[in-house]
Amino acid sequence: MIRYDFLQGSQEWINVRLGIPTASRFSDILTPAKWELSKSAIGYRHELCAEWILGNPVKPFKHAWTDRGSNLEQEGLDAYAFEKNTPVEQVGFITLDDGRAGASPDALVVGVAGGVENKTLSAVNHVAALLGEADKYTMQIAGQMWIGELEWVDRVYFNPAMPLVIQRVERDDALIDKLAGAVLEFCDRLDEMKSRLIGLGCKPIPPPTGNKPLPDDRPTEAELRELGDEFFGEPLPTPDFGPTEDRILQVATGPLSRPKMAVWV
């Protein structure tokens, strides 16, 4: 495993994952339900080839919509570390030794071969997580265990208005072997596709260097208000989530304050 401690979302982070399959998209290579080769694989290869040629992602990263989303992700990791009474360290990106595939775990647990995948969910999806009916991100987590050489990953679902959900996912070597074979075959075909494109006259553009700002794809005021509806079940008072006196009082004393408890599944 090769580890890169770039800030997730930075230009360096984008560059190191450019044009290679990553764990968040492994379900486009192997289906979670039946462990079969996905019909989405060829489209994913086309996407990776396009960004390899352009030197930039073809789909922008939104950073959980806003800075508030990033703060909530950090709050979720802090809540996990508190509930587990264990230190965690954030990591930018990890790859196989040959760099052909990678993953961006949200955190690694210090001193053990464990990781954390933190999902900051809308109110509706968090209810599903509480009931054990949310997306389990099976291939993403299996990919993190494969590439990161981990024995387990704690899947964390976080919403500041509801109990924290923590689910331990143990290593499944049968699944990881199946996934590894599918991803490596995918990489072989991806390499062949890149060679064909070079033969057809394509010349990959080197990606930007340095930590340049990402394209400004921030949501509109209406989207921000919709985000407030998703997380809290009511509109937020200001589109930039400014901490007004009334809002601070409401969060501190009212029904929106996060319950001081966790659900272990």
Side-chain angles (χ1 to χ4, degrees), residues 236-253:
L236 295 178
T238 55
D240 64 352
F241 302 103
T244 64
E245 181 177 350
D246 290 342
R247 185 66 176 175
I248 291 172
L249 180 63
Q250 184 181 25
V251 171
T253 64

Side-chain angles (χ1 to χ4, degrees), residues 4 25 49 68 76-77 100-101 105 110 114 134 136 144 151 159 175 189 193 201 208 219 229 233 259:
Y4 300 89
R25 297 287 299 276
C49 283
R68 179 176 178 83
L77 286 177
R100 299 179 79 199
V110 176
K136 292 181 172 53
Q144 291 176 3
E151 292 301 318
N159 182 289
L175 171 57
R189 295 188 179 185
M193 190 174 287
D229 292 343

Side-chain angles (χ1 to χ4, degrees), residues 2-253:
I2 301 174
R3 172 173 169 169
Y4 300 89
D5 286 323
F6 302 137
L7 179 67
Q8 291 193 14
S10 67
Q11 188 64 56
E12 292 92 341
W13 178 79
I14 291 173
N15 291 352
V16 77
R17 54 187 282 133
L18 201 67
I20 66 172
T22 58
S24 61
R25 297 287 299 276
F26 281 177
S27 59
D28 286 331
I29 299 175
L30 193 70
T31 62
K34 296 183 178 180
W35 302 5
E36 296 176 343
L37 296 178
S38 173
K39 295 179 180 179
S40 301
I42 188 168
Y44 187 28
R45 282 197 294 273
H46 292 163
E47 180 183 327
L48 293 174
C49 283
E51 65 181 31
W52 167 72
I53 293 170
L54 297 176
N56 272 305
V58 294
K59 295 181 179 179
F61 297 100
K62 286 198 133 181
H63 304 294
W65 299 301
T66 62
D67 289 340
R68 179 176 178 83
S70 297
N71 292 337
L72 286 172
E73 287 190 1
Q74 182 59 56
E75 189 177 341
L77 286 177
D78 291 344
Y80 168 83
F82 176 79
E83 295 290 346
K84 291 284 289 182
N85 191 27
T86 188
V88 299
E89 56 181 0
Q90 291 178 272
V91 59
F93 195 63
I94 56 176
T95 69
L96 297 172
D97 289 339
D98 59 12
R100 299 179 79 199
S104 296
D106 288 317
L108 300 176
V109 180
V110 176
V112 297
V116 181
E117 181 57 30
N118 178 38
K119 299 299 182 182
T120 304
L121 301 178
S122 69
V124 172
N125 290 332
H126 197 84
V127 166
L130 286 166
L131 297 173
E133 299 169 357
D135 189 335
K136 292 181 172 53
Y137 305 95
T138 301
M139 293 303 167
Q140 180 180 10
I141 290 175
Q144 291 176 3
M145 285 190 271
W146 168 42
I147 295 172
E149 303 169 7
L150 304 174
E151 292 301 318
W152 51 265
V153 169
D154 277 345
R155 182 173 51 226
V156 178
Y157 300 100
F158 177 76
N159 182 289
M162 299 185 197
L164 185 69
V165 179
I166 303 172
Q167 299 172 337
R168 174 65 53 90
V169 181
E170 301 286 351
R171 184 181 181 91
D172 183 338
D173 285 326
L175 171 57
I176 289 174
D177 288 347
K178 184 80 171 180
L179 177 62
V183 172
L184 293 177
E185 180 182 349
F186 177 94
C187 290
D188 289 341
R189 295 188 179 185
L190 180 64
D191 290 342
E192 292 171 1
M193 190 174 287
K194 289 177 178 179
S195 296
R196 288 175 57 197
L197 289 167
I198 290 175
L200 292 169
C202 293
K203 297 180 179 179
I205 300 172
T209 59
N211 190 18
K212 297 182 179 180
L214 296 178
D216 186 0
D217 58 357
R218 291 173 294 181
T220 64
E221 178 178 337
E223 289 172 328
L224 289 173
R225 291 188 177 278
E226 182 179 351
L227 176 60
D229 292 343
E230 283 191 278
F231 274 106
F232 298 107
E234 64 172 49
L236 295 178
T238 55
D240 64 352
F241 302 103
T244 64
E245 181 177 350
D246 290 342
R247 185 66 176 175
I248 291 172
L249 180 63
Q250 184 181 25
V251 171
T253 64

